[in-house]
Amino acid sequence: MCPSRFALSIALFVIASPFAVAADAQHNSAVQSPIDFRALRAQAIHAAPGGAQPGELFANPDRAYPPSCLNAPLANQLYKTDPHAQQKQITLPGDPITSDANEYSYTEADTVTVFRVPCAGGVSAVLVEIDRPSTATSYPYPVFPGVAIGSGQFVPRIAADPNTFYSNVYAYDPVSTSSTYVFENVYGGGSDQLYNQALSVFVYDLQTPTPTEFDLPAYNPSDYAAASQPMPISGYQSGNFYDATRGGEGIQIEVGDTGTASSTRTITFAWYTFDSSGTPYWLYGNASFTTGATQVNIPLYYGAGGGFAGNYTSVDFEPWGNITSLEFTDCNTVRFSYASNAGLPAGVPAGSGSKIWTRLTQLNGLTCQ
């Protein structure tokens, strides 16, 4: 994202304070809600100062939820795990400022769901999903509604991409497909809203002054089965893990994208261990898994025929066995079982068992919390 996009985010929250500016309906006759969402956006763009983009993309220190709670892209139908999800029909308009008559006059009855997903540490994230009808096409399209919280009409920051302070979605943005969005805090703006509390979320259709109200009770982890389950595997768990009582051995785990499909990710696993003579020995493997999975099996291989500092012509990799049911019980704990194949050559370490190891390091900018 460009620096002006970042500045726009800050400027919007200077204007849309926790006691957001009330509407001035004279700004635009198409704005019918008591909060002039278009004016907020226009003023934010006008007021946005220039500024340098930070040199590195860190997790938002003023985040509304742990960064490892959600993966990008946000999946639809996450609300199915929330017993308190609120779902209602809202008729959303087409773009009111376009010169295209079909788009200008368009309206569409969409399903809007406000819900929570459980995160580590006894907290949650609040999201909203907008589902278009199955017969909907990319054109004409509805626009994103106005969203406010509580009697003070706090206007939250909303994003389609979690875990970054660059992503922002505004009222009147196109909704071309069914999509999910997350409630965020602005970077540098502090904790404007405690999303774990009981919330009244008001969704404005931008046509009428009366919003649709969604009431969420205070977050209680015991209401969510996923709160006690292993974490979805993601890049936030990448790093080094070891047995704190037996230094000198460990594993390095990296979770990445395949570059071909957002529904699939890869995990690499390198085990730095020893053979029966005490000589350092390493095992390596990788596997693909479906985004959102909480467990993965990884075939492991051992190498032979190499030499120090590249002094070799080729290396042969042979199957060693498997890492089975690898999972992260929390951000700092990995649990896995291992089993070697039968009939391994002499000198190749073998065995089976289970381990629970602790995080030693994590990737800069990918704080798992």
Side-chain angles (χ1 to χ4, degrees):
M1 294 290 182
C2 63
S4 61
R5 182 71 163 173
F6 173 59
L8 172 60
S9 166
I10 296 178
L12 179 64
F13 269 74
V14 170
I15 297 165
S17 66
F19 300 99
V21 181
D24 179 358
Q26 296 178 355
H27 281 244
N28 192 306
S29 60
V31 177
Q32 300 296 329
S33 66
I35 299 174
D36 193 338
F37 291 97
R38 182 180 294 122
L40 289 177
R41 179 173 184 171
Q43 292 173 36
I45 294 173
H46 178 75
Q53 178 173 319
E56 294 182 291
L57 297 178
F58 290 100
N60 185 355
D62 298 310
R63 51 189 171 259
Y65 53 88
S68 51
C69 179
L70 297 168
N71 290 316
L74 287 169
N76 288 339
Q77 299 190 356
L78 293 173
Y79 62 81
K80 290 186 175 181
T81 64
D82 184 358
H84 304 296
Q86 300 287 300
Q87 188 173 80
K88 300 181 181 182
Q89 290 281 320
I90 300 179
T91 298
L92 298 179
D95 189 342
I97 62 173
T98 181
S99 59
D100 187 310
N102 289 331
E103 175 61 33
Y104 179 87
S105 60
Y106 184 68
T107 60
E108 182 178 284
D110 294 318
T111 302
V112 179
T113 309
V114 179
F115 62 100
R116 285 190 173 97
V117 297
C119 305
V123 298
S124 67
V126 177
L127 302 94
V128 58
E129 179 173 331
I130 299 178
D131 288 306
R132 301 187 64 193
S134 59
T135 56
T137 58
S138 59
Y139 170 85
Y141 55 82
V143 294
F144 194 83
V147 179
I149 295 177
S151 58
Q153 297 294 275
F154 167 80
V155 177
R157 174 181 161 222
I158 295 178
D161 184 17
N163 310 320
T164 174
F165 44 77
Y166 287 109
S167 176
N168 301 281
V169 176
Y170 303 100
Y172 297 98
D173 279 355
V175 180
S176 57
T177 62
S178 297
S179 300
T180 299
Y181 312 85
V182 61
F183 288 53
E184 299 272 7
N185 289 330
V186 67
Y187 171 65
S191 297
D192 299 299
Q193 191 73 28
L194 298 177
Y195 292 110
N196 282 339
Q197 297 178 355
L199 295 177
S200 292
V201 178
F202 297 92
V203 177
Y204 291 87
D205 62 13
L206 306 175
Q207 304 173 94
T208 59
T210 303
T212 302
E213 183 174 348
F214 299 77
D215 294 315
L216 296 179
Y219 175 64
N220 183 352
S222 64
D223 292 342
Y224 296 78
S228 60
Q229 295 175 355
M231 299 179 65
I233 300 171
S234 73
Y236 286 92
Q237 287 112 21
S238 297
N240 290 281
F241 294 78
Y242 78 120
D243 183 344
T245 65
R246 298 185 179 184
E249 180 185 29
I251 54 175
Q252 183 175 1
I253 297 174
E254 181 176 314
V255 180
D257 292 320
T258 62
T260 57
S262 60
S263 61
T264 304
R265 291 198 165 98
T266 62
I267 183 170
T268 59
F269 183 102
W271 188 350
Y272 304 99
T273 185
F274 301 87
D275 64 17
S276 57
S277 67
T279 302
Y281 201 94
W282 62 274
L283 301 168
Y284 174 84
N286 64 78
S288 296
F289 64 93
T290 302
T291 300
T294 58
Q295 290 187 343
V296 64
N297 298 337
I298 308 171
L300 290 186
Y301 296 83
Y302 66 94
F308 176 70
N311 185 25
Y312 58 88
T313 57
S314 65
V315 175
D316 295 324
F317 285 95
E318 301 293 338
W320 178 85
N322 290 275
I323 294 295
T324 59
S325 301
L326 181 140
E327 61 185 29
F328 297 90
T329 56
D330 57 45
C331 284
N332 297 312
T333 307
V334 62
R335 179 168 58 198
F336 64 94
S337 298
Y338 61 94
S340 62
N341 295 332
L344 292 173
V348 176
S352 62
S354 298
K355 298 288 185 183
I356 299 177
W357 282 2
T358 302
R359 176 188 291 278
L360 179 64
T361 64
Q362 54 189 316
L363 298 184
N364 177 39
L366 284 180
T367 303
C368 186
Q369 180 185 39

mmCIF file of all heavy atoms in Angstrom, residues 83-128:
data_model
loop_
_atom_site.group_PDB
_atom_site.id
_atom_site.type_symbol
_atom_site.label_atom_id
_atom_site.label_comp_id
_atom_site.label_asym_id
_atom_site.label_seq_id
_atom_site.Cartn_x
_atom_site.Cartn_y
_atom_site.Cartn_z
ATOM 1 N N PRO A 83 -21.661 -19.667 18.408
ATOM 2 C CA PRO A 83 -23.053 -19.918 18.818
ATOM 3 C C PRO A 83 -23.844 -18.627 19.011
ATOM 4 O O PRO A 83 -25.074 -18.675 19.110
ATOM 5 C CB PRO A 83 -22.897 -20.677 20.139
ATOM 6 C CG PRO A 83 -21.570 -20.232 20.675
ATOM 7 C CD PRO A 83 -20.698 -20.028 19.477
ATOM 8 N N HIS A 84 -23.161 -17.479 19.054
ATOM 9 C CA HIS A 84 -23.838 -16.202 19.276
ATOM 10 C C HIS A 84 -23.853 -15.332 18.025
ATOM 11 O O HIS A 84 -24.160 -14.130 18.119
ATOM 12 C CB HIS A 84 -23.165 -15.441 20.420
ATOM 13 C CG HIS A 84 -23.099 -16.214 21.705
ATOM 14 N ND1 HIS A 84 -24.227 -16.600 22.398
ATOM 15 C CD2 HIS A 84 -22.032 -16.695 22.402
ATOM 16 C CE1 HIS A 84 -23.868 -17.276 23.486
ATOM 17 N NE2 HIS A 84 -22.540 -17.347 23.508
ATOM 18 N N ALA A 85 -23.521 -15.886 16.868
ATOM 19 C CA ALA A 85 -23.517 -15.108 15.637
ATOM 20 C C ALA A 85 -24.893 -14.506 15.373
ATOM 21 O O ALA A 85 -25.921 -15.147 15.594
ATOM 22 C CB ALA A 85 -23.086 -15.987 14.465
ATOM 23 N N GLN A 86 -24.906 -13.266 14.907
ATOM 24 C CA GLN A 86 -26.147 -12.563 14.593
ATOM 25 C C GLN A 86 -26.227 -12.384 13.079
ATOM 26 O O GLN A 86 -25.327 -11.813 12.462
ATOM 27 C CB GLN A 86 -26.174 -11.201 15.278
ATOM 28 C CG GLN A 86 -26.079 -11.270 16.792
ATOM 29 C CD GLN A 86 -27.376 -11.764 17.406
ATOM 30 O OE1 GLN A 86 -28.427 -11.136 17.233
ATOM 31 N NE2 GLN A 86 -27.312 -12.850 18.142
ATOM 32 N N GLN A 87 -27.307 -12.833 12.456
ATOM 33 C CA GLN A 87 -27.440 -12.811 11.003
ATOM 34 C C GLN A 87 -28.780 -12.190 10.618
ATOM 35 O O GLN A 87 -29.826 -12.603 11.108
ATOM 36 C CB GLN A 87 -27.324 -14.224 10.438
ATOM 37 C CG GLN A 87 -27.255 -14.299 8.929
ATOM 38 C CD GLN A 87 -26.964 -15.717 8.463
ATOM 39 O OE1 GLN A 87 -27.862 -16.546 8.413
ATOM 40 N NE2 GLN A 87 -25.707 -15.990 8.130
ATOM 41 N N LYS A 88 -28.727 -11.188 9.699
ATOM 42 C CA LYS A 88 -29.947 -10.500 9.277
ATOM 43 C C LYS A 88 -29.838 -10.099 7.808
ATOM 44 O O LYS A 88 -28.747 -10.005 7.251
ATOM 45 C CB LYS A 88 -30.185 -9.263 10.147
ATOM 46 C CG LYS A 88 -30.337 -9.603 11.636
ATOM 47 C CD LYS A 88 -30.595 -8.383 12.481
ATOM 48 C CE LYS A 88 -30.723 -8.771 13.964
ATOM 49 N NZ LYS A 88 -31.015 -7.607 14.816
ATOM 50 N N GLN A 89 -30.995 -9.875 7.202
ATOM 51 C CA GLN A 89 -31.071 -9.424 5.819
ATOM 52 C C GLN A 89 -31.096 -7.892 5.776
ATOM 53 O O GLN A 89 -31.849 -7.249 6.529
ATOM 54 C CB GLN A 89 -32.329 -9.961 5.148
ATOM 55 C CG GLN A 89 -32.313 -11.457 4.893
ATOM 56 C CD GLN A 89 -31.497 -11.809 3.662
ATOM 57 O OE1 GLN A 89 -31.540 -11.122 2.663
ATOM 58 N NE2 GLN A 89 -30.758 -12.902 3.748
ATOM 59 N N ILE A 90 -30.268 -7.318 4.902
ATOM 60 C CA ILE A 90 -30.225 -5.865 4.730
ATOM 61 C C ILE A 90 -30.185 -5.569 3.236
ATOM 62 O O ILE A 90 -29.405 -6.177 2.492
ATOM 63 C CB ILE A 90 -28.998 -5.248 5.427
ATOM 64 C CG1 ILE A 90 -29.030 -5.532 6.934
ATOM 65 C CG2 ILE A 90 -28.943 -3.743 5.172
ATOM 66 C CD1 ILE A 90 -27.841 -4.979 7.685
ATOM 67 N N THR A 91 -30.998 -4.633 2.805
ATOM 68 C CA THR A 91 -30.993 -4.230 1.403
ATOM 69 C C THR A 91 -29.965 -3.113 1.219
ATOM 70 O O THR A 91 -30.106 -2.026 1.798
ATOM 71 C CB THR A 91 -32.384 -3.746 0.960
ATOM 72 O OG1 THR A 91 -33.311 -4.825 1.092
ATOM 73 C CG2 THR A 91 -32.356 -3.294 -0.497
ATOM 74 N N LEU A 92 -28.936 -3.395 0.435
ATOM 75 C CA LEU A 92 -27.859 -2.441 0.202
ATOM 76 C C LEU A 92 -28.009 -1.818 -1.175
ATOM 77 O O LEU A 92 -28.432 -2.481 -2.127
ATOM 78 C CB LEU A 92 -26.501 -3.139 0.307
ATOM 79 C CG LEU A 92 -26.161 -3.754 1.666
ATOM 80 C CD1 LEU A 92 -24.803 -4.443 1.619
ATOM 81 C CD2 LEU A 92 -26.186 -2.701 2.766
ATOM 82 N N PRO A 93 -27.640 -0.525 -1.299
ATOM 83 C CA PRO A 93 -27.791 0.158 -2.589
ATOM 84 C C PRO A 93 -26.587 -0.056 -3.487
ATOM 85 O O PRO A 93 -25.528 -0.515 -3.056
ATOM 86 C CB PRO A 93 -27.887 1.624 -2.169
ATOM 87 C CG PRO A 93 -26.978 1.699 -0.967
ATOM 88 C CD PRO A 93 -27.170 0.376 -0.240
ATOM 89 N N GLY A 94 -26.769 0.306 -4.748
ATOM 90 C CA GLY A 94 -25.651 0.405 -5.655
ATOM 91 C C GLY A 94 -24.896 1.695 -5.400
ATOM 92 O O GLY A 94 -25.233 2.472 -4.498
ATOM 93 N N ASP A 95 -23.877 1.949 -6.191
ATOM 94 C CA ASP A 95 -23.054 3.146 -6.025
ATOM 95 C C ASP A 95 -23.896 4.388 -6.318
ATOM 96 O O ASP A 95 -24.356 4.572 -7.444
ATOM 97 C CB ASP A 95 -21.866 3.066 -6.981
ATOM 98 C CG ASP A 95 -20.844 4.159 -6.720
ATOM 99 O OD1 ASP A 95 -21.196 5.156 -6.059
ATOM 100 O OD2 ASP A 95 -19.700 4.008 -7.177
ATOM 101 N N PRO A 96 -24.102 5.286 -5.333
ATOM 102 C CA PRO A 96 -24.998 6.426 -5.538
ATOM 103 C C PRO A 96 -24.367 7.592 -6.294
ATOM 104 O O PRO A 96 -25.064 8.552 -6.617
ATOM 105 C CB PRO A 96 -25.364 6.843 -4.105
ATOM 106 C CG PRO A 96 -24.155 6.476 -3.317
ATOM 107 C CD PRO A 96 -23.629 5.201 -3.938
ATOM 108 N N ILE A 97 -23.076 7.549 -6.581
ATOM 109 C CA ILE A 97 -22.448 8.686 -7.255
ATOM 110 C C ILE A 97 -21.947 8.332 -8.649
ATOM 111 O O ILE A 97 -21.302 9.140 -9.305
ATOM 112 C CB ILE A 97 -21.291 9.258 -6.419
ATOM 113 C CG1 ILE A 97 -20.187 8.218 -6.217
ATOM 114 C CG2 ILE A 97 -21.803 9.789 -5.088
ATOM 115 C CD1 ILE A 97 -18.953 8.787 -5.538
ATOM 116 N N THR A 98 -22.255 7.118 -9.106
ATOM 117 C CA THR A 98 -21.846 6.750 -10.453
ATOM 118 C C THR A 98 -22.769 7.389 -11.482
ATOM 119 O O THR A 98 -23.918 7.731 -11.187
ATOM 120 C CB THR A 98 -21.858 5.222 -10.627
ATOM 121 O OG1 THR A 98 -21.424 4.885 -11.945
ATOM 122 C CG2 THR A 98 -23.258 4.669 -10.428
ATOM 123 N N SER A 99 -22.275 7.531 -12.704
ATOM 124 C CA SER A 99 -23.103 8.045 -13.796
ATOM 125 C C SER A 99 -23.857 6.932 -14.510
ATOM 126 O O SER A 99 -24.667 7.193 -15.395
ATOM 127 C CB SER A 99 -22.223 8.794 -14.810
ATOM 128 O OG SER A 99 -21.222 7.927 -15.346
ATOM 129 N N ASP A 100 -23.579 5.684 -14.091
ATOM 130 C CA ASP A 100 -24.233 4.529 -14.696
ATOM 131 C C ASP A 100 -25.610 4.342 -14.049
ATOM 132 O O ASP A 100 -25.704 4.046 -12.852
ATOM 133 C CB ASP A 100 -23.367 3.292 -14.491
ATOM 134 C CG ASP A 100 -23.890 2.078 -15.236
ATOM 135 O OD1 ASP A 100 -25.090 1.781 -15.106
ATOM 136 O OD2 ASP A 100 -23.097 1.419 -15.935
ATOM 137 N N ALA A 101 -26.656 4.494 -14.827
ATOM 138 C CA ALA A 101 -28.011 4.429 -14.282
ATOM 139 C C ALA A 101 -28.331 3.067 -13.683
ATOM 140 O O ALA A 101 -29.024 2.970 -12.666
ATOM 141 C CB ALA A 101 -29.028 4.778 -15.379
ATOM 142 N N ASN A 102 -27.852 1.996 -14.301
ATOM 143 C CA ASN A 102 -28.120 0.657 -13.773
ATOM 144 C C ASN A 102 -27.493 0.479 -12.398
ATOM 145 O O ASN A 102 -28.109 -0.085 -11.487
ATOM 146 C CB ASN A 102 -27.579 -0.406 -14.732
ATOM 147 C CG ASN A 102 -28.382 -0.493 -16.013
ATOM 148 O OD1 ASN A 102 -29.569 -0.201 -16.024
ATOM 149 N ND2 ASN A 102 -27.727 -0.902 -17.093
ATOM 150 N N GLU A 103 -26.270 0.933 -12.243
ATOM 151 C CA GLU A 103 -25.591 0.806 -10.956
ATOM 152 C C GLU A 103 -26.200 1.749 -9.922
ATOM 153 O O GLU A 103 -26.393 1.391 -8.759
ATOM 154 C CB GLU A 103 -24.099 1.078 -11.129
ATOM 155 C CG GLU A 103 -23.295 1.102 -9.833
ATOM 156 C CD GLU A 103 -23.346 -0.214 -9.080
ATOM 157 O OE1 GLU A 103 -23.432 -1.281 -9.733
ATOM 158 O OE2 GLU A 103 -23.298 -0.191 -7.840
ATOM 159 N N TYR A 104 -26.518 2.964 -10.347
ATOM 160 C CA TYR A 104 -27.058 3.971 -9.430
ATOM 161 C C TYR A 104 -28.376 3.515 -8.823
ATOM 162 O O TYR A 104 -28.640 3.723 -7.633
ATOM 163 C CB TYR A 104 -27.241 5.294 -10.165
ATOM 164 C CG TYR A 104 -27.815 6.395 -9.324
ATOM 165 C CD1 TYR A 104 -26.991 7.216 -8.556
ATOM 166 C CD2 TYR A 104 -29.188 6.636 -9.290
ATOM 167 C CE1 TYR A 104 -27.505 8.221 -7.769
ATOM 168 C CE2 TYR A 104 -29.728 7.642 -8.506
ATOM 169 C CZ TYR A 104 -28.878 8.437 -7.749
ATOM 170 O OH TYR A 104 -29.399 9.441 -6.964
ATOM 171 N N SER A 105 -29.217 2.909 -9.617
ATOM 172 C CA SER A 105 -30.558 2.522 -9.153
ATOM 173 C C SER A 105 -30.608 1.112 -8.573
ATOM 174 O O SER A 105 -31.668 0.655 -8.140
ATOM 175 C CB SER A 105 -31.555 2.611 -10.316
ATOM 176 O OG SER A 105 -31.167 1.750 -11.380
ATOM 177 N N TYR A 106 -29.472 0.448 -8.520
ATOM 178 C CA TYR A 106 -29.448 -0.958 -8.096
ATOM 179 C C TYR A 106 -29.631 -1.092 -6.580
ATOM 180 O O TYR A 106 -29.112 -0.280 -5.795
ATOM 181 C CB TYR A 106 -28.112 -1.583 -8.508
ATOM 182 C CG TYR A 106 -28.007 -3.064 -8.215
ATOM 183 C CD1 TYR A 106 -28.779 -3.984 -8.912
ATOM 184 C CD2 TYR A 106 -27.127 -3.544 -7.253
ATOM 185 C CE1 TYR A 106 -28.680 -5.338 -8.657
ATOM 186 C CE2 TYR A 106 -27.013 -4.896 -6.995
ATOM 187 C CZ TYR A 106 -27.781 -5.790 -7.694
ATOM 188 O OH TYR A 106 -27.685 -7.143 -7.438
ATOM 189 N N THR A 107 -30.364 -2.101 -6.169
ATOM 190 C CA THR A 107 -30.442 -2.493 -4.761
ATOM 191 C C THR A 107 -30.362 -4.013 -4.692
ATOM 192 O O THR A 107 -30.719 -4.707 -5.649
ATOM 193 C CB THR A 107 -31.744 -2.027 -4.084
ATOM 194 O OG1 THR A 107 -32.864 -2.592 -4.759
ATOM 195 C CG2 THR A 107 -31.841 -0.509 -4.070
ATOM 196 N N GLU A 108 -29.892 -4.503 -3.550
ATOM 197 C CA GLU A 108 -29.709 -5.949 -3.417
ATOM 198 C C GLU A 108 -29.908 -6.364 -1.966
ATOM 199 O O GLU A 108 -29.336 -5.763 -1.053
ATOM 200 C CB GLU A 108 -28.298 -6.325 -3.884
ATOM 201 C CG GLU A 108 -27.995 -7.805 -3.845
ATOM 202 C CD GLU A 108 -26.599 -8.084 -4.381
ATOM 203 O OE1 GLU A 108 -26.424 -8.045 -5.619
ATOM 204 O OE2 GLU A 108 -25.679 -8.333 -3.568
ATOM 205 N N ALA A 109 -30.713 -7.382 -1.738
ATOM 206 C CA ALA A 109 -30.941 -7.923 -0.398
ATOM 207 C C ALA A 109 -29.797 -8.882 -0.070
ATOM 208 O O ALA A 109 -29.683 -9.957 -0.664
ATOM 209 C CB ALA A 109 -32.277 -8.634 -0.325
ATOM 210 N N ASP A 110 -28.946 -8.493 0.876
ATOM 211 C CA ASP A 110 -27.783 -9.286 1.250
ATOM 212 C C ASP A 110 -27.917 -9.788 2.682
ATOM 213 O O ASP A 110 -28.609 -9.194 3.516
ATOM 214 C CB ASP A 110 -26.508 -8.456 1.118
ATOM 215 C CG ASP A 110 -26.218 -8.081 -0.320
ATOM 216 O OD1 ASP A 110 -26.389 -8.937 -1.201
ATOM 217 O OD2 ASP A 110 -25.827 -6.924 -0.570
ATOM 218 N N THR A 111 -27.237 -10.885 2.955
ATOM 219 C CA THR A 111 -27.208 -11.445 4.308
ATOM 220 C C THR A 111 -25.976 -10.919 5.022
ATOM 221 O O THR A 111 -24.846 -11.112 4.563
ATOM 222 C CB THR A 111 -27.179 -12.973 4.268
ATOM 223 O OG1 THR A 111 -28.320 -13.455 3.558
ATOM 224 C CG2 THR A 111 -27.181 -13.546 5.677
ATOM 225 N N VAL A 112 -26.179 -10.248 6.144
ATOM 226 C CA VAL A 112 -25.084 -9.675 6.929
ATOM 227 C C VAL A 112 -24.999 -10.428 8.251
ATOM 228 O O VAL A 112 -25.997 -10.579 8.957
ATOM 229 C CB VAL A 112 -25.297 -8.176 7.170
ATOM 230 C CG1 VAL A 112 -24.168 -7.594 8.021
ATOM 231 C CG2 VAL A 112 -25.400 -7.430 5.836
ATOM 232 N N THR A 113 -23.794 -10.897 8.580
ATOM 233 C CA THR A 113 -23.572 -11.658 9.816
ATOM 234 C C THR A 113 -22.477 -10.986 10.623
ATOM 235 O O THR A 113 -21.395 -10.702 10.094
ATOM 236 C CB THR A 113 -23.170 -13.107 9.508
ATOM 237 O OG1 THR A 113 -24.092 -13.688 8.584
ATOM 238 C CG2 THR A 113 -23.130 -13.941 10.784
ATOM 239 N N VAL A 114 -22.740 -10.723 11.883
ATOM 240 C CA VAL A 114 -21.747 -10.183 12.808
ATOM 241 C C VAL A 114 -21.446 -11.273 13.827
ATOM 242 O O VAL A 114 -22.363 -11.872 14.402
ATOM 243 C CB VAL A 114 -22.253 -8.900 13.503
ATOM 244 C CG1 VAL A 114 -21.204 -8.375 14.480
ATOM 245 C CG2 VAL A 114 -22.594 -7.833 12.463
ATOM 246 N N PHE A 115 -20.165 -11.537 14.060
ATOM 247 C CA PHE A 115 -19.808 -12.690 14.884
ATOM 248 C C PHE A 115 -18.395 -12.543 15.439
ATOM 249 O O PHE A 115 -17.685 -11.583 15.124
ATOM 250 C CB PHE A 115 -19.906 -13.974 14.053
ATOM 251 C CG PHE A 115 -18.951 -14.021 12.876
ATOM 252 C CD1 PHE A 115 -17.764 -14.741 12.951
ATOM 253 C CD2 PHE A 115 -19.233 -13.344 11.695
ATOM 254 C CE1 PHE A 115 -16.888 -14.784 11.877
ATOM 255 C CE2 PHE A 115 -18.370 -13.393 10.618
ATOM 256 C CZ PHE A 115 -17.194 -14.110 10.709
ATOM 257 N N ARG A 116 -18.022 -13.521 16.262
ATOM 258 C CA ARG A 116 -16.668 -13.570 16.830
ATOM 259 C C ARG A 116 -15.992 -14.885 16.457
ATOM 260 O O ARG A 116 -16.651 -15.896 16.207
ATOM 261 C CB ARG A 116 -16.706 -13.470 18.358
ATOM 262 C CG ARG A 116 -17.001 -12.086 18.923
ATOM 263 C CD ARG A 116 -16.764 -12.079 20.431
ATOM 264 N NE ARG A 116 -16.870 -10.757 20.998
ATOM 265 C CZ ARG A 116 -17.959 -10.274 21.588
ATOM 266 N NH1 ARG A 116 -19.041 -11.039 21.667
ATOM 267 N NH2 ARG A 116 -17.965 -9.060 22.094
ATOM 268 N N VAL A 117 -14.663 -14.862 16.474
ATOM 269 C CA VAL A 117 -13.874 -16.089 16.431
ATOM 270 C C VAL A 117 -12.947 -16.072 17.636
ATOM 271 O O VAL A 117 -12.441 -15.019 18.026
ATOM 272 C CB VAL A 117 -13.066 -16.230 15.129
ATOM 273 C CG1 VAL A 117 -13.985 -16.327 13.930
ATOM 274 C CG2 VAL A 117 -12.093 -15.075 14.951
ATOM 275 N N PRO A 118 -12.730 -17.214 18.286
ATOM 276 C CA PRO A 118 -11.859 -17.257 19.456
ATOM 277 C C PRO A 118 -10.389 -17.143 19.062
ATOM 278 O O PRO A 118 -9.973 -17.624 18.009
ATOM 279 C CB PRO A 118 -12.166 -18.623 20.073
ATOM 280 C CG PRO A 118 -12.630 -19.456 18.921
ATOM 281 C CD PRO A 118 -13.355 -18.519 17.996
ATOM 282 N N CYS A 119 -9.621 -16.519 19.917
ATOM 283 C CA CYS A 119 -8.181 -16.367 19.714
ATOM 284 C C CYS A 119 -7.445 -16.897 20.943
ATOM 285 O O CYS A 119 -8.056 -17.255 21.948
ATOM 286 C CB CYS A 119 -7.818 -14.891 19.509
ATOM 287 S SG CYS A 119 -8.710 -14.064 18.175
ATOM 288 N N ALA A 120 -6.125 -16.938 20.858
ATOM 289 C CA ALA A 120 -5.325 -17.350 22.000
ATOM 290 C C ALA A 120 -5.405 -16.293 23.097
ATOM 291 O O ALA A 120 -5.706 -15.127 22.845
ATOM 292 C CB ALA A 120 -3.876 -17.557 21.567
ATOM 293 N N GLY A 121 -5.143 -16.716 24.319
ATOM 294 C CA GLY A 121 -5.085 -15.777 25.425
ATOM 295 C C GLY A 121 -6.421 -15.321 25.954
ATOM 296 O O GLY A 121 -6.513 -14.313 26.655
ATOM 297 N N GLY A 122 -7.506 -16.045 25.618
ATOM 298 C CA GLY A 122 -8.805 -15.708 26.173
ATOM 299 C C GLY A 122 -9.460 -14.492 25.558
ATOM 300 O O GLY A 122 -10.347 -13.882 26.177
ATOM 301 N N VAL A 123 -9.051 -14.106 24.346
ATOM 302 C CA VAL A 123 -9.666 -12.978 23.671
ATOM 303 C C VAL A 123 -10.237 -13.438 22.326
ATOM 304 O O VAL A 123 -10.074 -14.590 21.931
ATOM 305 C CB VAL A 123 -8.661 -11.825 23.461
ATOM 306 C CG1 VAL A 123 -8.172 -11.305 24.800
ATOM 307 C CG2 VAL A 123 -7.480 -12.294 22.619
ATOM 308 N N SER A 124 -10.895 -12.526 21.634
ATOM 309 C CA SER A 124 -11.562 -12.875 20.392
ATOM 310 C C SER A 124 -11.387 -11.768 19.370
ATOM 311 O O SER A 124 -10.938 -10.659 19.691
ATOM 312 C CB SER A 124 -13.054 -13.118 20.632
ATOM 313 O OG SER A 124 -13.689 -11.896 21.003
ATOM 314 N N ALA A 125 -11.781 -12.059 18.140
ATOM 315 C CA ALA A 125 -11.861 -11.053 17.078
ATOM 316 C C ALA A 125 -13.314 -10.940 16.651
ATOM 317 O O ALA A 125 -14.047 -11.927 16.637
ATOM 318 C CB ALA A 125 -10.977 -11.447 15.895
ATOM 319 N N VAL A 126 -13.735 -9.728 16.309
ATOM 320 C CA VAL A 126 -15.091 -9.473 15.830
ATOM 321 C C VAL A 126 -15.039 -9.270 14.321
ATOM 322 O O VAL A 126 -14.187 -8.531 13.809
ATOM 323 C CB VAL A 126 -15.703 -8.245 16.516
ATOM 324 C CG1 VAL A 126 -17.089 -7.946 15.957
ATOM 325 C CG2 VAL A 126 -15.786 -8.459 18.015
ATOM 326 N N LEU A 127 -15.933 -9.932 13.609
ATOM 327 C CA LEU A 127 -15.950 -9.869 12.156
ATOM 328 C C LEU A 127 -17.359 -9.636 11.643
ATOM 329 O O LEU A 127 -18.339 -9.837 12.370
ATOM 330 C CB LEU A 127 -15.390 -11.170 11.548
ATOM 331 C CG LEU A 127 -13.970 -11.566 11.938
ATOM 332 C CD1 LEU A 127 -13.982 -12.522 13.128
ATOM 333 C CD2 LEU A 127 -13.248 -12.206 10.757
ATOM 334 N N VAL A 128 -17.443 -9.233 10.385
ATOM 335 C CA VAL A 128 -18.720 -9.108 9.699
ATOM 336 C C VAL A 128 -18.580 -9.751 8.327
ATOM 337 O O VAL A 128 -17.566 -9.570 7.647
ATOM 338 C CB VAL A 128 -19.165 -7.633 9.579
ATOM 339 C CG1 VAL A 128 -18.136 -6.789 8.841
ATOM 340 C CG2 VAL A 128 -20.524 -7.531 8.898
#
